Amino acid sequence: MGIALLRFYLYLLLPEWMSNQYPDSRHFFRRKFTSAYRARLRCVRRLWLGSGLLMLALPIPPVVITLGLFTTFISFSLLDEH
């Protein structure tokens, strides 16, 4: 019952467009439900996994910082595509 009540309060507080989870590639929120976005998200997860393993293999601070910043940039670039 507690979860249902919490869900009801969230329904009242959130905007209407957030309750609609129908995939739409042109909508700024609902595009994350499309299959293309989910495929890019899987790619970003693999990128971060590989980057993390490389950071563990080479625990040199300049390498870790540079690789982390570069991976962040690539992740944002991939996920922001239309």
Side-chain angles (χ1 to χ4, degrees), residues 1 3 5 8 16 20 25 27-30 37-39 43-44 49-51 53 58 63-64 73 80:
M1 175 152 167
I3 292 178
L5 188 61
F8 176 71
E16 182 272 329
N20 186 356
S25 62
H27 192 268
F28 69 96
F29 177 74
R30 292 187 313 219
Y37 185 86
R38 290 183 190 267
C43 181
V44 167
L49 182 63
S51 176
L53 290 174
L58 300 169
V63 172
V64 171
F73 170 72
D80 195 40

Side-chain angles (χ1 to χ4, degrees), residues 65-81:
I65 291 169
T66 304
L67 191 59
L69 290 173
F70 181 70
T71 306
T72 302
F73 170 72
I74 296 296
S75 298
F76 283 138
S77 298
L78 283 172
L79 292 177
D80 195 40
E81 291 178 358

Side-chain angles (χ1 to χ4, degrees), residues 14-47:
L14 295 177
E16 182 272 329
W17 50 264
M18 284 188 86
S19 62
N20 186 356
Q21 293 186 356
Y22 181 75
D24 183 7
S25 62
R26 292 175 290 153
H27 192 268
F28 69 96
F29 177 74
R30 292 187 313 219
R31 74 176 173 191
K32 70 181 183 179
F33 301 115
T34 61
S35 60
Y37 185 86
R38 290 183 190 267
R40 289 195 309 263
L41 192 61
R42 282 191 301 271
C43 181
V44 167
R45 284 184 190 139
R46 284 189 219 120
L47 177 71

